[in-house]
Amino acid sequence: MFFITKPADFNHTFNFKYYLKLFNKLNVKQLKRDPMNKKESIISLHGDHTEWISKLDFYKDDLKVFNNRLAEIASKNNHTEVLAEVEKFQNQFIVQNDNIDQIKHIINLDEDKIVKEVNSNPIAVDHRTMSHSGEKDLVDTFEKNFKSIREEFNKFSAKWM
């Protein structure tokens, strides 16, 4: 199993590209030996993918609401400190939106592997197993970071709305 450490200047911005580089360096053989990486039925993997895509779509909708709230705050307040915070959150929301798209892409690639596996041998699909390629860690890390950003933004918006 691998873990992401926070740099000193983390500031709640999840750097997906950095995380993806670490993820790509991870040896697939290590994943297979990892006792935490248990094989699951193909149906269960598909269910996980569907759940994660739904969660990511929800977070994407949240970002739209946050951006609307941010625009409202910017229109009501022209203080330099407020506008600097607005810009900071705007940048974070752009990064998080990009992260969602990239994580969804990785999940869809894994889903394509499942489809190929099923199409190559459709017999006894419910009895065959596969393992996740690390998407769970990506989604969990994203969710943890997103919740942190949401809390910080809610404090900011409560102060200036």
Side-chain angles (χ1 to χ4, degrees), residues 70-108:
L70 205 54
E72 185 178 343
I73 291 169
S75 69
K76 290 180 179 180
N77 300 288
N78 60 0
H79 300 17
T80 309
E81 67 183 66
V82 175
L83 295 178
E85 286 292 308
V86 165
E87 185 177 357
K88 180 186 100 175
F89 281 112
Q90 212 170 26
N91 291 337
Q92 286 183 348
F93 297 159
I94 290 168
V95 168
Q96 296 310 314
N97 202 30
D98 186 47
N99 289 344
I100 289 170
D101 290 339
Q102 291 182 30
I103 294 170
K104 283 172 73 172
H105 178 71
I106 290 170
I107 292 169
N108 287 329

Side-chain angles (χ1 to χ4, degrees), residues 15-28:
N15 186 341
F16 183 80
K17 290 177 182 165
Y18 172 75
Y19 186 81
L20 189 58
K21 283 180 187 176
L22 287 176
F23 179 74
N24 287 334
K25 288 180 182 178
L26 186 65
N27 188 340
V28 176

Side-chain angles (χ1 to χ4, degrees), residues 30-134:
Q30 287 176 329
L31 277 175
K32 290 180 181 174
R33 285 193 303 258
D34 185 355
M36 298 298 291
N37 189 25
K38 297 176 183 158
K39 292 195 174 228
E40 298 180 40
S41 74
I42 289 176
I43 294 168
S44 175
L45 292 177
H46 173 70
D48 288 345
H49 292 162
T50 303
E51 177 186 347
W52 296 334
I53 294 289
S54 295
K55 283 182 177 183
L56 293 170
D57 287 341
F58 176 78
Y59 290 129
K60 201 161 197 142
D61 288 342
D62 258 5
L63 287 173
K64 290 176 189 174
V65 172
F66 294 165
N67 277 314
N68 290 338
R69 215 183 308 165
L70 205 54
E72 185 178 343
I73 291 169
S75 69
K76 290 180 179 180
N77 300 288
N78 60 0
H79 300 17
T80 309
E81 67 183 66
V82 175
L83 295 178
E85 286 292 308
V86 165
E87 185 177 357
K88 180 186 100 175
F89 281 112
Q90 212 170 26
N91 291 337
Q92 286 183 348
F93 297 159
I94 290 168
V95 168
Q96 296 310 314
N97 202 30
D98 186 47
N99 289 344
I100 289 170
D101 290 339
Q102 291 182 30
I103 294 170
K104 283 172 73 172
H105 178 71
I106 290 170
I107 292 169
N108 287 329
L109 290 175
D110 203 47
E111 188 69 17
D112 290 344
K113 289 178 191 174
I114 291 173
V115 169
K116 286 178 185 174
E117 175 71 20
V118 170
N119 288 339
S120 70
N121 186 6
I123 309 228
V125 170
D126 54 337
H127 297 293
R128 289 204 316 262
T129 60
M130 292 177 72
S131 58
H132 284 296
S133 300

